[in-house]
Amino acid sequence: MSCAIAITQIGLCTPLGNSSKDVLQNLLSASTDAMVLRDDLLFNASTRVGAINNANLLDIPAELTQFDCRNNQLLYTAAASITADIEHAKKQYGADRVAVVLGTSTSGISKGEAALAYHQQHGEFPPSYHYAQQELGSASDFLRQLYQLSGPCYTVSTACSSSAKVFASAKRLLLADLCDVVIVGGVDSLCQLTLNGFNALESVSKGLCNPFSQHRDGINIGEGAALFVLKKAQEDAQSRSKSQVYLAGIGESSDAHHISAPHPQGLGAISAMQAALADASITSAQISYVNLHGTATPKNDAMESLAMQQVFNSSNNNEAASIPLCSSTKPLVGHCLGAAGAIEAAFCYLLLSDANLQQQLPPHVWDQQQDMNNPILPFVTPGQSAELTFIMSNSFAFGGSNASVIFAKCGALT
């Protein structure tokens, strides 16, 4: 590996909790408590979503009220855990050497929806509403101003791969010596536009999503935020020991097959996974666990099964021996759209940072009714564990924008 990228800190605001301890506990117990029924999102119907309790959110600072929206509240709550690291980085490297790269797809659209409803009733927008709150750049600019940074700052918005692709952006910034530290992550909040859009595509599940089942009928939407502090790892062993988890590799692809459907043979997904393996300089046999994109839509799960079989060289359609243990965590938090890549990357980080040699894995929550039209994958069962070295996390988006990220435990790097 030519240059290891260390993850020195993370910040969380997820349906499974805001602390690393709570999130890992709920992840491993496969808690679906946060998947609640809401009747204020779909028009004339209720739907199950991964929601965050308002009582667990921090208020936007008074001096940054122009950024006040739920999306930035989620982000600010996650940022509380990385503030000390960012202040230290500013002192060590300077504010111009700290970058911000975030992924989102909804930004503050829910604030705009509320403002339009107010406008219908009162004939004007509410005084607290600013259009910039729903612009895609709002989230990254909010963090930049929060920490008074002057390094590179931008947002990636490629639908459901947004906050997976930020890791590639961060790696490029660090290797080009444009900065010394990068804050990466993703954030998305629930809104009517997204829910009704997916419902119009007949892609919203009637209950809890059921990934890879023959009875799967669509997604549940979720919300949340996850942030990471990245920097180039020093070559000496003492510096390496300060971080337990590293960004080992990332692969990106764009198959451009269809605006809302993946390539049926998973060509873009295959390309992204193979590129990530090449970037990490490892073989597929070294992957211990895969966090699947696993949306529970008929087409995604079919193509991802095929892609996994192709990448991990399973020789028989009914033989999963060469494919690593895998699961989709979307039944626990919903599909968090632009934040999905970062939140699921955080799950991988927590698994790898656990000190246990044999690490328990997130169980795959489904009805266990295999779709025999698709290759069989070795889904994690409750209590199942593995010795973790490298973990892969997949994110596949509308328009064929694909990303696969590989994280490594410190001892796995050479």
Side-chain angles (χ1 to χ4, degrees), residues 160-169 185 250 338 340-342 393-395 403-405:
C160 309
S161 62
S162 301
S163 60
K165 292 171 75 68
V166 298
F167 288 95
S169 298
I250 180 163
S393 185
N394 290 334
S395 298
S404 184
V405 191

Side-chain angles (χ1 to χ4, degrees), residues 88-109:
H88 177 74
K90 284 167 58 180
K91 290 178 182 177
Q92 184 175 5
Y93 303 111
D96 62 327
R97 298 291 295 176
V98 181
V100 179
V101 187
L102 301 181
T104 189
S105 64
T106 64
S107 191
I109 289 176

Side-chain angles (χ1 to χ4, degrees), residues 6-333:
I7 302 173
T8 63
Q9 186 58 274
I10 68 167
L12 299 168
C13 180
T14 80
L16 295 183
N18 296 348
S19 73
S20 294
K21 179 181 178 181
D22 288 345
V23 172
L24 183 59
Q25 178 179 324
N26 288 322
L27 178 69
L28 297 180
S29 66
S31 173
T32 59
D33 291 349
M35 302 299 294
V36 297
L37 279 173
R38 291 271 294 269
D39 58 9
D40 59 333
L41 293 167
L42 283 183
F43 302 139
N44 303 316
S46 61
T47 187
R48 194 169 294 277
V49 295
I52 293 172
N53 191 320
N54 289 344
N56 296 329
L57 299 181
L58 299 177
D59 293 330
I60 300 295
E63 67 273 17
L64 294 171
T65 53
Q66 72 270 29
F67 293 103
D68 191 5
C69 63
R70 182 179 179 80
N71 208 61
N72 287 334
Q73 270 192 283
L74 300 176
L75 189 61
Y76 184 48
T77 303
S81 297
I82 69 168
T83 297
D85 279 57
I86 300 308
E87 293 302 326
H88 177 74
K90 284 167 58 180
K91 290 178 182 177
Q92 184 175 5
Y93 303 111
D96 62 327
R97 298 291 295 176
V98 181
V100 179
V101 187
L102 301 181
T104 189
S105 64
T106 64
S107 191
I109 289 176
S110 62
K111 186 84 170 185
E113 291 172 347
L116 285 171
Y118 184 96
H119 191 280
Q120 272 191 318
Q121 184 176 358
H122 301 281
E124 61 181 4
F125 288 111
S128 63
Y129 173 67
H130 303 278
Y131 179 81
Q133 292 162 338
Q134 67 186 57
E135 290 179 336
L136 292 171
S138 172
S140 51
D141 194 38
F142 168 61
L143 276 195
R144 179 186 67 81
Q145 294 200 39
L146 175 68
Y147 292 124
Q148 298 181 323
L149 304 173
S150 53
C153 175
Y154 56 94
T155 298
V156 175
S157 189
T158 55
C160 309
S161 62
S162 301
S163 60
K165 292 171 75 68
V166 298
F167 288 95
S169 298
K171 184 172 183 178
R172 287 190 285 266
L173 288 171
L174 289 168
L175 295 184
D177 196 32
L178 294 173
C179 59
D180 294 293
V181 173
V182 189
I183 306 169
V184 302
V187 58
D188 254 336
S189 46
L190 295 168
C191 63
Q192 290 181 322
L193 175 69
T194 307
L195 265 296
N196 288 281
F198 275 101
N199 196 46
L201 294 172
E202 300 181 343
S203 294
V204 176
S205 177
K206 295 179 178 62
L208 185 68
C209 69
N210 197 5
F212 297 93
S213 166
Q214 64 176 330
H215 302 302
R216 64 190 185 277
D217 66 343
I219 65 176
N220 302 127
I221 300 295
E223 64 178 354
L227 294 170
F228 303 76
V229 180
L230 304 185
K231 63 184 295 186
K232 282 192 287 187
Q234 301 298 317
E235 294 303 319
D236 58 284
Q238 183 179 0
S239 296
R240 279 179 177 266
S241 66
K242 292 179 182 178
S243 179
Q244 295 176 295
V245 183
Y246 292 82
L247 171 63
I250 180 163
E252 300 175 275
S253 69
S254 180
D255 59 59
H257 170 73
H258 187 273
I259 192 170
S260 62
H263 192 286
Q265 278 75 53
L267 298 186
I270 291 168
S271 178
M273 286 190 277
Q274 290 177 336
L277 290 166
D279 190 43
S281 300
I282 62 172
T283 68
S284 61
Q286 291 174 268
I287 298 294
S288 308
Y289 165 73
V290 178
N291 181 281
L292 299 164
H293 188 54
T295 61
T297 57
K299 291 185 176 180
N300 174 86
D301 292 3
M303 80 84 187
E304 192 170 11
S305 299
L306 289 168
M308 288 286 292
Q309 181 192 52
Q310 178 68 29
V311 171
F312 293 96
N313 301 317
S314 180
S315 59
N316 186 308
N317 191 53
N318 293 314
E319 177 60 55
S322 61
I323 303 175
L325 290 169
C326 52
S327 61
S328 169
T329 49
K330 287 182 172 64
L332 312 182
V333 295

